[in-house]
Amino acid sequence: MSKDSLVLLGPTASGKTALAVALARCLDAEIVSADSRQVYRKLDIGTGKDLHTYSSGGAVVPVHMLDCVDLPEEYHLFRYQRECFAAIHDLWSRDRRVLVCGGTGLFLDCLLSGYQLVEAPEDEEFRAAVADVDEEALARVYLRVTKNPHNITDLEGRGRLLRALEIQAARCGVSPTELLFAKAPLKENALPQTEALEAIVLGLDWPPDLLRERIGHRLDERLREGMLEEVHGLLQAGITPERLLRLGLEYRWLTQHLQGEISFKAMRQGLYRAICEFARRQRMWFRRMERRGQVIHWLSGEDTQLVSRALAVLEHRGIHSSC
């Protein structure tokens, strides 16, 4: 059954969810989400959970790895890898086919490549000790003590830098505070072998100009659906602006508007550009996966026979459907 597992990836606004639901119904599969923000409860419109899609137009398709944690918590890659494989093994134990669907490249790569991760809880004592240390200095420490930086985004923002240092310390078997005083990369402890998902990978994409158009239409639709009100409700419920800003994209720009920092027009224009740039970075990540040997069978969102085309690719690989 593991060899019959599927992955559907693609940039934001490409139509992954609708295609995944259609394929799941044809293949008797259940969907496993690979989205770094949809794991949070109450982040619905802004993350594009589109929950109605799983039940409209046919039988309800079960979906896993949504709504895993409340917003005050930080959900990290280590936890996703552990909980996602638990969900996958549960599906296999019930003879259900797995269809992973999402656009978070790090989550997808973690499953397909079998990242060797280590559990590293946040160290409040360490964070208090470096409260007055600026990001540039923290970045220099990280680059000095890390022989092969895992992900360049570890340098993007103070929160990511602190997590990267805590994780690197755990890999080396020292405290984060000890890591600050290291003059060279420390020897990393051997990590246990981790599982990699064996799956056929489909990719869904559009020409860049059409994808940008879809992004604009979807943004306006979500604003009409109440995305601004969703963020306002989170603030009213006690979620701090700083927490929402860390979520990025919709939650960053809408929070800035609600805090009176930018106008609605500036928010909409800036958010549109930010989502387009995000889609570009997603594509870059998927291309990097291909350069490292991952086979992705690309499908065009313009194809009027998209579901049939996807099923034909799978049929050629020995996966048969009921459609």
Side-chain angles (χ1 to χ4, degrees):
M1 180 61 74
S2 63
K3 295 180 181 178
D4 289 345
S5 299
L6 312 172
V7 170
L8 174 61
L9 56 78
T12 187
S14 57
K16 296 184 296 296
T17 301
L19 177 57
V21 168
L23 293 176
R25 287 179 176 143
C26 289
L27 298 165
D28 193 27
E30 296 189 18
I31 294 174
V32 177
S33 173
D35 188 292
S36 63
R37 297 189 305 168
Q38 290 185 4
V39 296
Y40 291 105
R41 301 183 187 103
K42 298 184 179 180
L43 299 189
D44 298 328
I45 302 175
T47 63
K49 285 180 185 172
D50 299 331
L51 296 174
H52 65 279
T53 307
Y54 299 100
S55 58
S56 63
V60 176
V61 175
V63 57
H64 308 270
M65 299 308 296
L66 295 183
D67 298 333
C68 302
V69 67
D70 291 323
L71 260 180
E73 288 189 63
E74 296 279 356
Y75 197 93
H76 301 299
L77 184 64
F78 177 87
R79 181 170 174 183
Y80 176 79
Q81 184 188 51
R82 181 179 57 193
E83 295 182 359
C84 189
F85 271 115
I88 288 171
H89 281 282
D90 176 64
L91 292 177
W92 287 340
S93 72
R94 295 186 282 112
D95 292 329
R96 301 292 290 168
R97 179 171 279 137
V98 171
L99 197 172
V100 177
C101 176
T104 300
L106 185 61
F107 279 18
L108 292 162
D109 210 10
C110 167
L111 297 179
L112 292 166
S113 300
Y115 283 9
Q116 291 182 298
L117 302 175
V118 61
E119 188 168 15
E122 293 185 4
D123 189 320
E124 296 301 330
E125 183 178 338
F126 161 69
R127 294 186 175 219
V130 297
D132 296 327
V133 180
D134 61 36
E135 290 181 20
E136 185 176 342
L138 290 173
R140 286 198 299 270
V141 172
Y142 176 69
L143 292 173
R144 185 176 71 236
V145 301
T146 308
K147 185 176 181 181
N148 296 304
H150 188 266
N151 183 2
I152 194 63
T153 60
D154 287 337
L155 302 178
E156 296 178 0
R158 184 178 188 85
R160 287 181 178 271
L161 275 165
L162 292 173
R163 282 301 298 152
L165 287 166
E166 288 166 342
I167 291 168
Q168 184 63 16
R171 292 177 69 99
C172 297
V174 300
S175 72
T177 304
E178 289 176 292
L179 203 66
L180 293 176
F181 299 101
K183 301 300 182 182
L186 300 178
K187 182 179 179 181
E188 297 180 0
N189 296 328
L191 295 174
Q193 190 63 38
T194 54
E195 186 174 9
L197 180 65
E198 184 178 353
I200 297 173
V201 182
L202 303 177
L204 179 60
D205 203 0
W206 292 74
D209 56 336
L210 293 182
L211 185 64
R212 287 192 292 269
E213 184 177 325
R214 287 174 60 86
I215 288 171
H217 288 322
R218 190 183 68 167
L219 174 55
D220 291 334
E221 181 180 354
R222 289 181 176 175
L223 287 168
R224 289 192 296 269
E225 289 174 350
M227 184 165 61
L228 189 61
E229 290 75 12
E230 177 176 275
V231 177
H232 181 262
L234 293 169
L235 291 168
Q236 290 293 102
I239 303 301
T240 66
E242 293 75 20
R243 180 68 182 97
L244 294 175
L245 290 172
R246 290 201 303 273
L247 292 168
L249 291 178
E250 294 84 358
Y251 296 96
R252 170 180 289 277
W253 286 89
L254 291 169
T255 298
Q256 288 176 328
H257 169 62
L258 290 170
Q259 295 291 103
E261 297 176 14
I262 54 176
S263 67
F264 182 89
K265 181 179 179 180
M267 178 274 292
R268 196 276 178 194
Q269 291 176 340
L271 177 53
Y272 167 73
R273 290 193 295 269
I275 297 173
C276 290
E277 172 60 20
F278 174 64
R280 187 187 71 84
R281 294 200 306 272
Q282 286 178 297
R283 282 179 162 132
M284 291 175 59
W285 189 291
F286 301 146
R287 287 197 294 270
R288 187 179 76 168
M289 289 171 63
E290 289 184 294
R291 289 196 299 270
R292 293 169 59 187
Q294 179 63 59
V295 176
I296 302 176
H297 303 275
W298 286 102
L299 303 166
S300 172
E302 295 180 282
D303 195 331
T304 58
Q305 303 296 321
L306 181 58
V307 175
S308 297
R309 192 80 62 190
L311 291 174
V313 172
L314 299 176
E315 181 79 22
H316 183 69
R317 297 297 303 272
I319 296 183
H320 307 293
S321 75
S322 60
C323 296

